[in-house]
Amino acid sequence: MYGGGSMRAWLSVALVVACLGWTLSAAVTDPGDVKVLLKLKKAWGGGLSLWSGLDPCYDGWLGVFCDDKNTRVTSLYLISADLAGTIPPEIGSLSALVNLDLSFNTNLKGQLPSELGSLTNLLYLSLQKCSFSGRIPESLGKLEKLTFLALNNNGFSGELPSALGALSKLKWFDVAYNKLEGSLPVSTSSKDSLGLDTWPDIEHYHLNDNQFSGIIPPELGNAAKCLHMLLEANSFTGPIPESFGNLSSLQILSLHYNQLAGPIPSTLSKIIKFGKYAGLHQIRVSNNQLSGTLPNLNALNQLEYVDFSNNLFDPQPFPKWLNESSEELQTIKCENCSWVGPLPADILAYPSLQGLYLQHNRLNGSLTIPVNLGKKLQYVSLQNNGISVVNPQNPNAELPQIQLEDNPICSGEGLLRAGPTLCSTEANSNGANEILTWISSLTTNNSCPSLCRNANHVLNPYTCHCGYPLVVTLEIRAPISSIVNDTSLWDLLKAQTYDSLRNLTSQIKPPLELDSEQLWVYQAQHANHSKVHVRLYIFAPVGAEVMDRRTDNLIKGWFTTQKVEYTSPFKPEFVIDIEPSQEAGSVTFGVSKLAIIGIATGAGALLALLGFLVSVALRQKRRFEEERKNNPFGAWAKAEDGNAPQLKGARWFTFNDMRRMTNDFDDDNMLGAGGYGKVYKGVMAETGVILAVKRAQEGSKQGADEFKNEIELLSRVHHNNLVGLVGFCYDKAEQMLVYEFVPNGSLTDWLRGE
Ligand SMILES: *[C@@H]1O[C@H](CO)[C@@H](O)[C@H](O)[C@H]1NC(C)=O
Ligand SMILES: *[C@@H]1O[C@H](CO)[C@@H](O)[C@H](O)[C@H]1NC(C)=O
Ligand SMILES: *[C@@H]1O[C@H](CO)[C@@H](O)[C@H](O)[C@H]1NC(C)=O
Ligand SMILES: *[C@@H]1O[C@H](CO)[C@@H](O)[C@H](O)[C@H]1NC(C)=O
Ligand SMILES: *[C@@H]1O[C@H](CO)[C@@H](O)[C@H](O)[C@H]1NC(C)=O
Ligand SMILES: *[C@@H]1O[C@H](CO)[C@@H](O)[C@H](O)[C@H]1NC(C)=O
Ligand SMILES: *[C@@H]1O[C@H](CO)[C@@H](O)[C@H](O)[C@H]1NC(C)=O
Ligand SMILES: *[C@@H]1O[C@H](CO)[C@@H](O)[C@H](O)[C@H]1NC(C)=O
């Protein structure tokens, strides 16, 4: 009736239409959500090119998590996924979204759309270290369930909107490292009676490194649950509020590098360890214009670190109360502080003291080096003081690094007594906090042959294998003094990070195998404003050069959601960068299948988040186990060429999918049989679309590589005389190919074997 050619042409049109219909109707995900995700994919590209398959929830798109019924999208974790562009306003339609994390995509830019305020189910919003700019939209104040808001390390400018004060569940507020300005909004002065003081549960105010000005509002002292008050490196003026003594949970007070004036309030002495309260650990107020004399804070029984340097204090003697306060005192800094008179004779015997930084004062008299020299003491910086005598009670003691140049003891006859070691003019590198070069890698292994190809191809010193590690940069925002040079501390950091990561990964079924040798604390560096940056390398297991997507995504998620409350000296500690593995782009299709657990397991600071994520993980556990067993790449990833198949538009099916489709390979559904096996008619239950399933029988199966090659080839070939490959099944030792069904008897004939 029809010429063969035109019949074919007509059929292909019909099939295209059929497939299109299938695409839309097969989706179990809410069509509105699918539409938004497709929009995001188009807008952002990058890692989203891995979003393949027809249905985000069902096909487990990388970083996409859905509710129990697999209909609504509840989480998007697209961390360091090489996304570019702006956030489309349509994102506001993902109304079931609970977690949104787009952190560390440095090419995401532009203003935040006010439509983000429509995502009223959000608990967690993290947009760290992208390149967003403009004002923080007022509409974010509508996210009333939000507990975690991180907008740090972007280019946001303008004032903070007081409307954010409506976020009454907020615990974490991080806008550090932006260009925000103006005074901080508080309820008493804002039109809407909202502000940063109307967050009853807030634990973290991280506003450091901006251009905020005006006074520090005394209302912030109401935050009874606040642990970390980080306001450093801004332009605040006026006094430190007396009300800060009401911050009964406070552990870290960072106000350095502002223009604060007046005395340090004695009310701070109320913040002691008591019952559930941990006590004030750190006072950082250097580089302001504070004046008067230091109050007696000897009640602070947990004090660990004090820095009063570079202020305008009255001349005063060394504050003896320091030694009466805490047995934990590790660092005393008061450079350029107008301290006068003698040092306490037992200062170098303080039990926990590691660093004493008192250069540029008028301390005089003698420096006693006691018999019971503090065991942890590493640095004593006393340059430019009036010390005229060194009194070694134990001349054979092994001395810490003591710097006395520009003291009377280092001139004339004194020099002979002090010896050149104490009077060296060599710069005290640790005293200078602004060193901006990485110190050399903390662990090296000379017994490894160096076989790595280029700078990104890194030698793991523990295993001597090269790979492309995931690079994570931590910022320790309140480090103690000797942290950079103490490799035992880095071993501790490694141990703690590894421990937490392993705890996390063990909650996933099947557990991820993470070996301690995969984690390398690579470098540490002093950064501006008394911070320390640490670079971690996380390698793939031996045998692989690049971490698989699932693990990679899981680890990234852990690092961004987990603000590890490490014990001293690492608190507080933040992730400020995650660089994708350099070769990450080479992992292609379908590994996203492996990532369905993705990041679903953030733990730690936010228990609610943990609960939620673990429940997501557990919900997906069964499906994951099933899919993992079925994972076609398990076999192919180990093949010599190491590459997963490159499929154009074809999807893969599980054995159970095939059983469902063919009514358990019912003979009634058989279209034909031959030496290669049988062809069945299959029906997609959801849509009624009819397919043809070619099932290879024992003896006609191919090797993994041949099968891979065949489906690669078939998926690419689009020809009028060939039916299109819809997908394949490589599961439970089965090999099946799924074709478009052409209602034409001859079909089975030419499917046969050729
Ligand atoms: C907070 O501190 C201020 C000043 O120290 C004090 O007057 C006020 O009563 C305190 N408020 C509370 C609730 O403790
Ligand atoms: C000492 O501190 C004052 C006040 O902050 C500052 O102006 C001055 O530059 C400092 N001097 C030195 C040597 O650091
Ligand atoms: C004060 O210093 C002495 C050493 O002279 C030490 O034994 C004592 O434990 C210190 N007290 C506190 C509270 O640190
Ligand atoms: C230390 O300096 C003070 C004045 O600041 C002076 O009164 C005292 O005599 C000096 N002590 C010594 C031992 O030089
Ligand atoms: C760290 O210690 C090494 C020697 O152990 C020294 O050469 C180096 O200058 C120190 N670096 C810092 C930042 O203190
Ligand atoms: C250095 O490499 C060797 C050989 O692989 C290994 O046995 C050793 O543990 C490595 N050393 C360190 C410090 O990791
Ligand atoms: C990891 O789990 C172990 C045992 O459950 C626990 O003792 C340890 O504190 C956990 N470590 C971290 C860092 O959470
Ligand atoms: C540190 O401060 C200097 C001078 O203020 C600035 O130029 C530099 O960019 C800062 N570095 C970082 C890493 O912020």
Side-chain angles (χ1 to χ4, degrees):
M1 201 156 58
Y2 295 97
S6 66
M7 167 72 181
R8 279 281 151 210
W10 178 84
L11 248 182
S12 15
V13 170
L15 284 167
V16 166
V17 171
C19 287
L20 220 56
W22 185 45
T23 306
L24 298 178
S25 52
V28 287
T29 309
D30 177 83
D33 287 1
V34 177
K35 209 169 141 196
V36 178
L37 293 187
L38 290 174
K39 173 88 194 178
L40 299 184
K41 177 175 173 175
K42 198 167 162 210
W44 293 341
L48 305 194
S49 59
L50 294 171
W51 281 359
S52 58
L54 303 169
D55 186 85
C57 292
Y58 183 81
D59 290 317
W61 286 7
L62 184 77
V64 178
F65 300 92
C66 301
D67 60 0
D68 273 332
K69 295 182 197 130
N70 257 359
T71 53
R72 297 303 308 273
V73 174
T74 54
S75 300
L76 279 183
Y77 287 98
L78 302 171
I79 302 157
S80 185
D82 193 25
L83 310 182
T86 59
I87 299 187
E90 288 86 344
I91 199 166
S93 306
L94 291 175
S95 57
L97 208 57
V98 176
N99 299 290
L100 176 60
D101 197 334
L102 305 175
S103 302
F104 308 113
N105 287 293
T106 44
N107 294 319
L108 277 185
K109 56 181 194 284
Q111 304 211 1
L112 297 186
S114 62
E115 285 79 359
L116 279 177
S118 312
L119 301 172
T120 50
N121 282 309
L122 273 191
L123 295 179
Y124 171 90
L125 175 59
S126 179
L127 305 174
Q128 305 172 56
K129 201 170 190 216
C130 299
S131 299
F132 295 117
S133 57
R135 289 172 180 261
I136 294 176
E138 268 188 37
S139 64
L140 294 190
K142 291 192 270 178
L143 307 176
E144 288 186 359
K145 296 182 183 167
L146 207 62
T147 60
F148 183 105
L149 177 59
L151 304 174
N152 49 292
N153 300 79
N154 278 288
F156 290 113
S157 57
E159 299 188 7
L160 282 180
S162 60
L164 292 179
L167 304 175
S168 60
K169 302 279 195 312
L170 205 62
K171 291 186 174 177
W172 183 282
F173 181 66
D174 196 336
V175 293
Y177 297 102
N178 278 292
K179 292 178 209 146
L180 296 165
E181 58 187 30
S183 52
L184 301 183
V186 282
S187 56
T188 46
S189 56
S190 66
K191 272 183 250 146
D192 50 9
S193 297
L194 292 170
L196 305 194
D197 57 327
T198 52
W199 294 331
D201 294 328
I202 191 76
E203 292 174 356
H204 297 268
Y205 283 110
H206 300 165
L207 292 86
N208 54 287
D209 293 83
N210 277 287
Q211 292 150 25
F212 290 118
S213 56
I215 61 159
I216 296 177
E219 288 83 351
L220 293 190
N222 295 336
K225 297 183 182 168
C226 179
L227 304 171
H228 299 155
M229 178 71 76
L230 310 185
L231 303 178
E232 74 268 25
N234 278 292
S235 299
F236 290 114
T237 52
I240 299 174
E242 299 239 329
S243 65
F244 272 17
N246 300 350
L247 295 168
S248 45
S249 302
L250 196 66
Q251 294 176 19
I252 294 170
L253 178 60
S254 284
L255 304 174
H256 45 299
Y257 291 93
N258 278 290
Q259 284 123 50
L260 300 171
I264 292 179
S266 58
T267 51
L268 292 183
S269 67
K270 293 196 286 181
I271 311 175
I272 57 172
K273 183 181 167 80
F274 172 70
K276 64 179 173 156
Y277 301 111
L280 190 57
H281 287 58
Q282 302 202 0
I283 302 177
R284 298 171 171 262
V285 295
S286 74
N287 298 79
N288 279 289
Q289 284 138 38
L290 299 171
S291 57
T293 53
L294 294 178
N296 182 338
L297 300 175
N298 67 355
L300 295 178
N301 51 4
Q302 297 302 307
L303 213 52
E304 200 172 80
Y305 182 106
V306 291
D307 188 354
F308 304 116
S309 304
N310 298 317
N311 278 290
L312 303 172
F313 293 118
D314 293 344
Q316 56 194 300
F318 182 93
K320 290 237 171 50
W321 60 261
L322 278 171
N323 173 243
E324 295 158 20
S325 62
S326 159
E327 300 245 343
E328 309 300 324
L329 197 58
Q330 298 176 15
T331 302
I332 301 173
K333 281 195 177 189
C334 204
E335 301 167 18
N336 180 26
C337 248
S338 321
W339 283 2
V340 298
L343 278 167
D346 62 355
I347 178 86
L348 301 189
Y350 285 12
S352 298
L353 197 63
Q354 297 189 356
L356 182 66
Y357 301 87
L358 301 176
Q359 55 266 48
H360 303 290
N361 281 291
R362 281 178 276 147
L363 296 161
N364 64 7
S366 63
L367 174 69
T368 304
I369 299 178
V371 182
N372 57 336
L373 196 63
K375 289 197 174 53
K376 300 189 175 160
L377 199 58
Q378 297 189 20
Y379 299 101
V380 179
S381 303
L382 288 167
Q383 302 94 315
N384 197 349
N385 273 288
I387 290 162
S388 50
V389 179
V390 172
N391 176 12
Q393 291 183 342
N394 173 5
N396 301 322
E398 200 181 309
L399 293 185
Q401 195 176 333
I402 298 178
Q403 317 251 334
L404 280 171
E405 63 267 22
D406 295 326
N407 278 274
I409 180 89
C410 286
S411 58
E413 279 182 31
L415 181 57
L416 294 174
R417 277 176 284 137
T421 46
L422 304 186
C423 294
S424 143
T425 49
E426 219 174 82
N428 176 351
S429 44
N430 196 273
N433 266 327
E434 314 295 329
I435 303 169
L436 287 170
T437 50
W438 291 98
I439 71 165
S440 58
S441 54
L442 297 166
T443 307
T444 48
N445 193 339
N446 294 328
S447 63
C448 294
S450 71
L451 299 167
C452 305
R453 288 191 285 273
N454 55 45
N456 294 329
H457 198 223
V458 180
L459 181 71
N460 178 333
Y462 305 109
T463 62
C464 293
H465 283 78
C466 303
Y468 298 94
L470 181 66
V471 182
V472 175
T473 305
L474 303 180
E475 175 168 283
I476 297 174
R477 290 192 186 168
I480 55 129
S481 64
S482 60
I483 195 161
V484 166
N485 235 8
D486 191 340
T487 45
S488 64
L489 286 177
W490 302 123
D491 290 344
L492 182 64
L493 178 72
K494 174 178 159 123
Q496 289 183 344
T497 307
Y498 173 64
D499 210 28
S500 311
L501 271 175
R502 199 189 42 188
N503 278 8
L504 168 90
T505 52
S506 66
Q507 291 169 26
I508 299 164
K509 301 292 184 289
L512 278 178
E513 313 263 327
L514 188 76
D515 194 291
S516 160
E517 296 185 336
Q518 286 173 250
L519 188 64
W520 182 18
V521 178
Y522 177 62
Q523 285 171 322
Q525 172 200 42
H526 283 293
N528 283 355
H529 306 135
S530 314
K531 312 236 185 348
V532 167
H533 289 175
V534 183
R535 210 189 270 245
L536 304 177
Y537 281 0
I538 303 161
F539 289 90
V542 171
E545 295 202 324
V546 187
M547 194 88 74
D548 69 86
R549 285 258 167 203
R550 173 189 173 232
T551 313
D552 182 82
N553 216 16
L554 175 76
I555 291 174
K556 285 175 187 169
W558 180 78
F559 273 108
T560 53
T561 58
Q562 172 104 352
K563 303 298 168 181
V564 188
E565 302 284 327
Y566 284 141
T567 48
S568 173
F570 304 117
K571 77 188 161 205
E573 167 264 314
F574 306 84
V575 176
I576 54 156
D577 203 8
I578 300 182
E579 299 160 38
S581 314
Q582 293 299 320
E583 289 280 288
S586 66
V587 185
T588 50
F589 166 80
V591 182
S592 58
K593 290 285 183 191
L594 292 180
I596 59 164
I597 294 286
I599 304 163
T601 44
L606 299 166
L607 281 179
L609 181 66
L610 170 74
F612 169 77
L613 290 174
V614 167
S615 77
V616 171
L618 293 180
R619 266 209 308 275
Q620 301 212 16
K621 160 184 155 180
R622 241 177 102 189
R623 197 173 105 206
F624 173 74
E625 277 177 330
E626 188 184 310
E627 294 204 17
R628 182 174 171 274
K629 269 187 250 132
N630 301 335
N631 158 35
F633 309 103
W636 287 320
K638 291 191 191 78
E640 273 310 284
D641 62 6
N643 287 326
Q646 313 279 327
L647 302 182
K648 291 227 154 109
R651 58 181 291 190
W652 66 284
F653 296 94
T654 65
F655 183 66
N656 284 339
D657 291 336
M658 305 315 305
R659 283 178 59 177
R660 274 195 297 275
M661 257 187 231
T662 58
N663 196 16
D664 207 3
F665 304 105
D666 191 335
D667 279 350
D668 285 352
N669 286 2
M670 202 163 60
L671 297 169
Y676 62 90
K678 293 172 177 169
V679 178
Y680 295 88
K681 184 172 158 184
V683 183
M684 290 283 290
E686 302 93 319
T687 59
V689 168
I690 298 173
L691 302 164
V693 178
K694 177 184 166 191
R695 183 189 193 190
Q697 67 184 19
E698 266 330 307
S700 68
K701 283 184 195 148
Q702 319 173 55
D705 276 76
E706 289 89 326
F707 187 58
K708 176 180 126 177
N709 288 340
E710 181 178 2
I711 56 178
E712 275 186 358
L713 183 70
L714 287 172
S715 75
R716 279 199 209 110
V717 174
H718 292 284
H719 191 275
N720 282 344
N721 292 329
L722 284 176
V723 278
L725 183 74
V726 172
F728 67 97
C729 168
Y730 184 58
D731 179 17
K732 304 225 161 84
E734 293 274 355
Q735 292 180 352
M736 292 184 238
L737 296 173
V738 182
Y739 294 93
E740 297 155 355
F741 177 72
V742 183
N744 175 342
S746 69
L747 168 71
T748 46
D749 297 331
W750 60 261
L751 269 181
R752 204 165 268 158
E754 278 104 58

Coordinates of all heavy atoms in Angstrom, one line a residue, residues 597-628:
I597 N 21.9 8.2 46.5 CA 21.9 8.4 47.9 C 22.5 9.8 48.1 O 22.1 10.6 48.9 CB 22.9 7.4 48.6 CG1 22.2 6.0 48.5 CG2 23.1 7.8 50.0 CD1 21.1 5.8 49.4
G598 N 23.4 10.2 47.1 CA 24.0 11.5 47.1 C 24.4 11.9 48.5 O 25.0 11.2 49.2
I599 N 23.9 13.1 48.8 CA 24.4 13.8 49.9 C 23.5 13.5 51.1 O 23.6 14.2 52.1 CB 24.4 15.2 49.6 CG1 25.2 15.3 48.4 CG2 24.9 16.1 50.6 CD1 25.0 16.5 47.6
A600 N 22.6 12.6 50.9 CA 21.5 12.5 51.8 C 21.8 12.2 53.3 O 21.1 11.5 54.0 CB 20.5 11.5 51.3
T601 N 22.9 12.7 53.7 CA 23.3 12.2 55.0 C 24.1 13.3 55.9 O 24.8 12.9 56.7 CB 24.2 11.0 54.9 OG1 25.1 11.3 53.9 CG2 23.4 9.8 54.6
G602 N 23.9 14.5 55.6 CA 24.6 15.5 56.4 C 24.3 15.2 57.8 O 23.2 14.8 58.2
A603 N 25.3 15.5 58.7 CA 25.1 15.1 60.1 C 25.6 16.3 60.9 O 26.2 17.2 60.4 CB 25.9 13.8 60.4
G604 N 25.4 16.2 62.2 CA 26.2 17.1 63.0 C 25.4 18.3 63.6 O 24.4 18.1 64.2
A605 N 25.9 19.5 63.3 CA 25.4 20.6 64.0 C 23.9 20.7 63.9 O 23.2 21.1 64.8 CB 26.0 21.9 63.4
L606 N 23.3 20.3 62.8 CA 21.9 20.5 62.6 C 21.2 19.1 62.7 O 21.1 18.4 61.7 CB 21.6 21.1 61.3 CG 22.2 22.5 61.2 CD1 22.3 23.0 59.8 CD2 21.5 23.5 62.1
L607 N 20.7 18.8 63.9 CA 20.2 17.5 64.1 C 18.9 17.3 63.2 O 18.7 16.2 62.7 CB 19.9 17.3 65.6 CG 21.1 16.9 66.4 CD1 20.8 16.8 67.8 CD2 21.8 15.7 65.8
A608 N 18.2 18.3 63.1 CA 17.0 18.2 62.3 C 17.3 17.8 60.9 O 16.8 16.9 60.3 CB 16.2 19.5 62.3
L609 N 18.4 18.5 60.4 CA 18.8 18.2 59.1 C 19.3 16.7 59.0 O 18.9 16.0 58.0 CB 20.0 19.1 58.7 CG 20.5 19.0 57.3 CD1 19.5 19.4 56.3 CD2 21.8 19.8 57.2
L610 N 20.0 16.3 60.0 CA 20.5 15.0 60.0 C 19.3 14.0 59.9 O 19.3 13.1 59.1 CB 21.3 14.7 61.2 CG 21.7 13.2 61.4 CD1 22.7 12.8 60.5 CD2 22.1 12.9 62.8
G611 N 18.4 14.2 60.8 CA 17.2 13.4 60.8 C 16.6 13.3 59.4 O 16.4 12.2 58.9
F612 N 16.4 14.4 58.9 CA 15.8 14.4 57.6 C 16.6 13.7 56.5 O 16.1 12.8 55.8 CB 15.6 15.9 57.1 CG 15.1 15.9 55.7 CD1 13.8 15.6 55.4 CD2 16.0 16.2 54.7 CE1 13.4 15.6 54.0 CE2 15.6 16.2 53.4 CZ 14.3 15.9 53.0
L613 N 17.8 14.0 56.5 CA 18.7 13.4 55.5 C 18.8 11.9 55.6 O 18.8 11.2 54.7 CB 20.0 14.1 55.4 CG 20.0 15.6 55.0 CD1 21.3 16.2 55.1 CD2 19.5 15.6 53.5
V614 N 19.0 11.5 56.9 CA 19.1 10.1 57.1 C 17.9 9.4 56.6 O 17.9 8.3 56.0 CB 19.5 9.7 58.5 CG1 19.3 8.3 58.8 CG2 20.9 10.2 58.8
S615 N 16.7 10.0 56.9 CA 15.5 9.4 56.5 C 15.4 9.3 55.0 O 14.9 8.3 54.5 CB 14.3 10.1 57.2 OG 14.0 11.2 56.5
V616 N 15.9 10.3 54.4 CA 15.9 10.2 52.9 C 16.8 9.1 52.5 O 16.4 8.3 51.6 CB 16.5 11.6 52.3 CG1 16.7 11.4 50.8 CG2 15.5 12.7 52.5
A617 N 17.9 9.0 53.1 CA 18.9 7.9 52.7 C 18.3 6.6 53.0 O 18.4 5.7 52.1 CB 20.2 8.1 53.6
L618 N 17.6 6.4 54.1 CA 17.0 5.1 54.4 C 15.9 4.8 53.4 O 15.8 3.7 53.0 CB 16.6 5.1 55.9 CG 17.7 5.1 56.9 CD1 17.2 5.1 58.3 CD2 18.7 4.0 56.6
R619 N 15.1 5.8 53.2 CA 14.0 5.6 52.2 C 14.5 5.1 50.9 O 13.9 4.3 50.2 CB 13.3 6.9 52.0 CG 12.1 7.1 52.9 CD 11.1 8.0 52.2 NE 11.5 9.2 51.7 CZ 11.7 10.3 52.4 NH1 11.4 10.3 53.7 NH2 12.1 11.5 51.8
Q620 N 15.7 5.6 50.5 CA 16.2 5.3 49.2 C 17.1 4.1 49.3 O 17.5 3.6 48.2 CB 17.0 6.5 48.6 CG 16.1 7.7 48.6 CD 16.5 8.6 47.4 OE1 17.2 8.2 46.5 NE2 16.0 9.8 47.4
K621 N 17.3 3.6 50.5 CA 18.3 2.5 50.6 C 17.9 1.3 49.8 O 18.7 0.7 49.1 CB 18.3 2.2 52.1 CG 18.8 0.8 52.4 CD 18.8 0.5 53.9 CE 18.7 -1.0 54.2 NZ 18.6 -1.3 55.6
R622 N 16.6 0.9 49.9 CA 16.2 -0.3 49.2 C 16.4 -0.2 47.7 O 17.0 -1.0 47.1 CB 14.7 -0.6 49.5 CG 14.6 -1.9 50.2 CD 13.2 -2.2 50.6 NE 12.6 -3.2 49.7 CZ 11.3 -3.4 49.7 NH1 10.6 -2.8 50.6 NH2 10.8 -4.3 48.9
R623 N 15.9 1.0 47.2 CA 16.0 1.2 45.8 C 17.5 1.2 45.4 O 17.9 0.6 44.4 CB 15.3 2.5 45.4 CG 15.1 2.5 43.9 CD 14.3 3.8 43.6 NE 15.1 4.7 43.0 CZ 14.9 6.0 43.0 NH1 13.8 6.5 43.6 NH2 15.7 6.9 42.4
F624 N 18.3 1.8 46.3 CA 19.7 1.9 45.9 C 20.3 0.6 45.9 O 21.1 0.3 45.0 CB 20.4 2.8 47.0 CG 21.9 2.8 46.7 CD1 22.4 3.5 45.6 CD2 22.7 2.0 47.5 CE1 23.7 3.4 45.3 CE2 24.1 1.9 47.2 CZ 24.6 2.6 46.1
E625 N 20.0 -0.2 46.9 CA 20.6 -1.6 47.0 C 20.3 -2.3 45.7 O 21.2 -2.9 45.1 CB 20.1 -2.3 48.2 CG 20.9 -2.0 49.4 CD 20.4 -2.7 50.6 OE1 19.2 -3.0 50.7 OE2 21.2 -3.0 51.5
E626 N 19.0 -2.2 45.3 CA 18.6 -2.9 44.2 C 19.4 -2.4 42.9 O 20.0 -3.1 42.2 CB 17.1 -2.7 44.0 CG 16.5 -3.5 42.9 CD 15.0 -3.1 42.7 OE1 14.3 -3.1 43.8 OE2 14.6 -2.8 41.6
E627 N 19.4 -1.1 42.8 CA 20.0 -0.5 41.6 C 21.5 -0.7 41.6 O 22.1 -0.8 40.6 CB 19.7 1.0 41.6 CG 18.3 1.2 41.3 CD 18.0 2.5 40.7 OE1 18.9 3.1 40.1 OE2 16.8 2.9 40.8
R628 N 22.1 -0.8 42.8 CA 23.6 -0.9 42.8 C 23.9 -2.3 42.3 O 24.8 -2.5 41.6 CB 24.1 -0.7 44.3 CG 25.6 -0.8 44.3 CD 26.0 -0.5 45.7 NE 27.4 -0.8 45.9 CZ 27.9 -2.0 46.3 NH1 27.0 -3.0 46.5 NH2 29.2 -2.2 46.5

